[in-house]
Amino acid sequence: TERRRSSSWPRFGSLAFLIVGIVLTSILDDFMLPSRFVGDGSQETIVRKAAAPSAAASSLRRRRESKCTTSHSSMNSNYTNNASGAPRIRDGGDGSYSSSILENQVRRQALFQALIHRNQHPTDCQTRRILLTHDSRAKDGFTLEFQLYARHLQAGLAMDRTFVFGDQFQTAYAPANCQWSTMNMTTTTNVTNSWNCLYEAPSNCTETMVNANIRNEQGKEVPPPDKVNASSKFKMTYGIHVDGEKKGSGFFNSAYYGNSRIVDGIPFDKPFTRNWNVDVLEHWDRVMGRFWIRAQMAHYLWRPSVGLKSEMDLRMPQALLPPSSSSSASSNSDDKDQRFIGMHIRFTDNVKHFLNDFGRDANVTRSLDHFMEMAQEIRNETGISTIYLATDSTEVLKRLQSSTYSQEGWSFHIQNGVIRSDSHQVMWFKKSRGSMAAAIATDVEVLRRADYLIGSYQSNVFRLATELNTVYQVAKYPLDVNRHRTVDIEWYEDP
């Protein structure tokens, strides 16, 4: 009897410890995120549905929630679509993935998007610390420019500053006077800069609002922007000098973290300088990594304006993405979407950069046959045989037309009315930028909605597409599924 008792007790004790461990883990999981990462009521709904926290954790969250008063309706609009405000869990479209994993991804993403939104929507713009940019530093690519300011958004969050575009900000990709061909008049009454012609404003603050009654450190009234000495050695914003190259240590630029209420945009276009570290985010960089963070920032900014959306809607491939899930749709849960592979094949002037920067030959790594070999691997794994092809090269389309891939069971969708070329001249598209935004944005939008992506991370288009796609498909695929395949270069930050 004693022997039987002694042998059964360890098993009972182990079971008891296991049960206690599970309960404690459930409680501690809800304490892991600091209070400032918890959203308002709409986000609280997501948290409860995803994690079903304990009563003690729920009580703590309610106390935290009482401090959070910002409305997140505009933030929610570009990634949610059902009554509860949360993306619908789709399990990869075939029930192959654990819903608990997907729910945790949705929860974490909702918390982070709420954090960005609060930083960008202060209650008082006249006292808020501001990161302000007046002009576009990106002088070439549409997606390079977008990525540059997604990184400014990230830097603002890291430095506790709201990121704001100046009232006179200009981008070469906005049509003249913000007149879209699909609209009879200016698309919005609040377009104060050309960024707002392409996208919704990222903040409720404007340059005029943050400049109201500003005095510099000597107590003198600050001159208006058009009277600031533009030829000054240091970039000067409203009487506040910011030297983007010489302030701070060799690893950190203290000027942006300092006491100045308003600082100017950051020259991220100069890589490997001390500016490179100003956008490191407490906690999140360590836990989630740079790719995930950049994906979240891009997602927050990717809100096409009414005018740009109207142009994109005309270009969207309706056979692939029905009208109800076109660019005006807000999330990834339209059940009429068919699964497809998104391809981006970049040639033209990128070939020269690829050789100079990486010593690689794009004619080899980016051949259509190489892309189709990778697509075949995906088809073997998933059964997907539909491809959306985005390319800047007319030669790629000629190669596709002469191939036998359609006879092998592949179906292709390609956007028409796109300016393409076979030129390797740098900035061959420079004179056409004012009319190219809709075509490029449509390619990015379709790639954003793909199930799998194939391309080269040397291209800003593909980098942006994979980042946006990661967030868009958060409720459908676990993050560790290898859905983004590169034909040559792995992901990196530039800008």
Side-chain angles (χ1 to χ4, degrees):
T1 302
E2 283 298 320
R3 188 178 298 111
R4 188 180 302 113
R5 211 180 269 131
S6 63
S7 62
S8 62
W9 167 246
R11 286 197 294 271
F12 175 78
S14 299
L15 179 60
F17 279 119
L18 178 61
I19 294 173
V20 171
I22 292 173
V23 173
L24 288 176
T25 300
S26 176
I27 295 175
L28 288 174
D29 179 62
D30 292 292
F31 283 84
M32 289 299 289
L33 290 171
S35 59
R36 60 181 175 167
F37 297 150
V38 179
D40 66 358
S42 62
Q43 298 304 317
E44 176 69 3
T45 301
I46 294 175
V47 171
R48 278 198 294 268
K49 286 193 65 171
S54 64
S58 298
S59 176
L60 175 64
R61 184 173 289 110
R62 282 193 293 272
R63 292 197 299 273
R64 291 171 174 171
E65 189 185 65
S66 65
K67 300 178 182 179
C68 300
T69 58
T70 304
S71 171
H72 301 288
S73 58
S74 62
M75 178 274 295
N76 282 341
S77 66
N78 92 322
Y79 76 95
T80 62
N81 79 322
N82 59 28
S84 69
R88 192 190 321 154
I89 304 301
R90 298 185 67 193
D91 298 341
D94 57 7
S96 57
Y97 302 119
S98 166
S99 61
S100 62
I101 293 175
L102 300 175
E103 287 167 353
N104 286 335
Q105 291 180 176
V106 170
R107 171 177 175 269
R108 184 183 296 113
Q109 180 168 297
L111 295 174
F112 194 82
Q113 288 293 317
L115 178 64
I116 303 173
H117 184 85
R118 284 198 297 276
N119 190 65
Q120 288 298 110
H121 291 78
T123 56
D124 185 357
C125 295
Q126 294 185 20
T127 60
R128 175 66 176 143
R129 287 161 54 86
I130 300 293
L131 173 61
L132 182 69
T133 186
H134 291 101
D135 63 322
S136 175
R137 295 180 181 273
K139 305 302 181 183
D140 48 14
F142 176 84
T143 51
L144 185 151
E145 181 177 72
F146 185 92
Q147 290 275 48
L148 177 64
Y149 293 111
R151 191 156 190 188
H152 275 72
L153 178 70
Q154 180 175 332
L157 182 60
M159 296 183 290
D160 190 29
R161 296 182 182 276
T162 297
F163 172 55
V164 177
F165 285 100
D167 290 345
Q168 303 303 316
F169 177 90
Q170 296 297 315
T171 169
Y173 286 92
N177 301 316
C178 196
Q179 296 290 331
W180 297 95
S181 61
T182 53
M183 311 294 286
N184 295 324
M185 59 186 68
T186 302
T187 57
T188 173
T189 58
N190 296 317
V191 173
T192 59
N193 60 56
S194 59
W195 178 270
N196 293 349
C197 181
L198 296 174
Y199 309 98
E200 294 181 13
S203 173
N204 62 320
C205 298
T206 64
E207 181 181 17
T208 302
M209 295 168 66
V210 302
N211 190 34
N213 302 318
I214 290 180
R215 293 178 180 271
N216 63 17
E217 294 172 351
Q218 288 73 43
K220 297 180 181 180
E221 289 190 6
V222 173
D226 60 347
K227 294 183 179 180
V228 172
N229 182 9
S231 63
S232 173
K233 178 180 178 182
F234 300 142
K235 191 80 175 179
M236 188 166 73
T237 303
Y238 300 161
I240 300 170
H241 291 279
V242 175
D243 177 2
E245 297 300 318
K246 297 184 178 179
K247 292 282 185 180
S249 70
F251 297 96
F252 229 64
N253 194 319
S254 59
Y256 295 111
Y257 286 89
N259 294 325
S260 297
R261 191 173 79 79
I262 302 176
V263 297
D264 206 351
I266 304 169
F268 283 123
D269 53 334
K270 297 180 180 180
F272 311 117
T273 67
R274 57 184 55 84
N275 302 307
W276 214 245
N277 297 314
V278 300
D279 61 346
V280 175
L281 293 177
E282 172 193 359
H283 173 75
W284 294 96
D285 255 293
R286 298 191 303 272
V287 175
M288 299 305 300
R290 298 292 285 182
F291 178 86
W292 187 88
I293 292 173
R294 289 296 296 266
Q296 298 298 321
M297 297 298 167
H299 174 74
Y300 183 88
L301 276 188
W302 188 255
R303 291 177 288 179
S305 66
V306 173
L308 181 55
K309 269 198 234 178
S310 66
E311 297 271 345
M312 293 166 63
D313 284 341
L314 293 178
R315 292 172 168 273
M316 294 290 283
Q318 295 190 7
L320 186 64
L321 297 169
S324 62
S325 62
S326 67
S327 61
S328 60
S330 59
S331 187
N332 65 336
S333 301
D334 195 315
D335 290 328
K336 290 186 289 185
D337 288 4
Q338 62 173 296
R339 296 199 301 165
F340 68 97
I341 299 168
M343 276 187 183
H344 178 250
I345 306 181
R346 178 77 159 93
F347 273 108
T348 65
D349 57 347
N350 200 254
V351 174
K352 181 178 180 180
H353 295 313
F354 193 46
L355 181 62
N356 292 341
D357 295 342
F358 296 94
R360 306 287 298 277
D361 186 352
N363 294 302
V364 175
T365 66
R366 299 176 196 172
S367 68
L368 180 61
D369 290 342
H370 188 193
F371 272 78
M372 291 306 299
E373 287 172 4
M374 302 189 78
Q376 184 60 51
E377 292 176 0
I378 295 173
R379 182 160 70 171
N380 292 342
E381 298 168 10
T382 66
I384 300 175
S385 58
T386 301
I387 293 174
Y388 179 83
L389 174 60
T391 183
D392 62 345
S393 172
T394 55
E395 185 60 35
V396 169
L397 297 187
K398 292 177 184 176
R399 172 70 183 90
L400 178 62
Q401 291 172 355
S402 64
S403 72
T404 60
Y405 291 121
S406 295
Q407 286 74 42
E408 296 172 13
W410 292 102
S411 61
F412 294 86
H413 298 264
I414 301 168
Q415 183 185 174
N416 296 319
V418 176
I419 299 175
R420 298 185 175 95
S421 174
D422 284 326
S423 172
H424 290 180
Q425 180 182 350
V426 176
M427 291 285 289
W428 59 270
F429 50 84
K430 183 175 182 179
K431 294 182 179 180
S432 304
R433 286 179 294 175
S435 60
M436 295 178 70
I440 303 172
T442 300
D443 274 345
V444 172
E445 178 64 25
V446 178
L447 295 175
R448 181 175 86 106
R449 295 168 179 266
D451 291 84
Y452 286 76
L453 292 173
I454 306 173
S456 171
Y457 280 115
Q458 191 223 359
S459 167
N460 263 297
V461 172
F462 189 69
R463 287 203 298 273
L464 177 59
T466 57
E467 291 160 12
L468 293 172
N469 182 272
T470 295
V471 179
Y472 180 80
Q473 299 287 19
V474 65
K476 189 174 181 180
Y477 294 101
L479 293 176
D480 60 357
V481 175
N482 183 20
R483 298 187 302 107
H484 303 155
R485 314 286 175 93
T486 176
V487 294
D488 41 45
I489 301 301
E490 188 46 73
W491 181 86
Y492 62 99
E493 292 190 275
D494 179 26

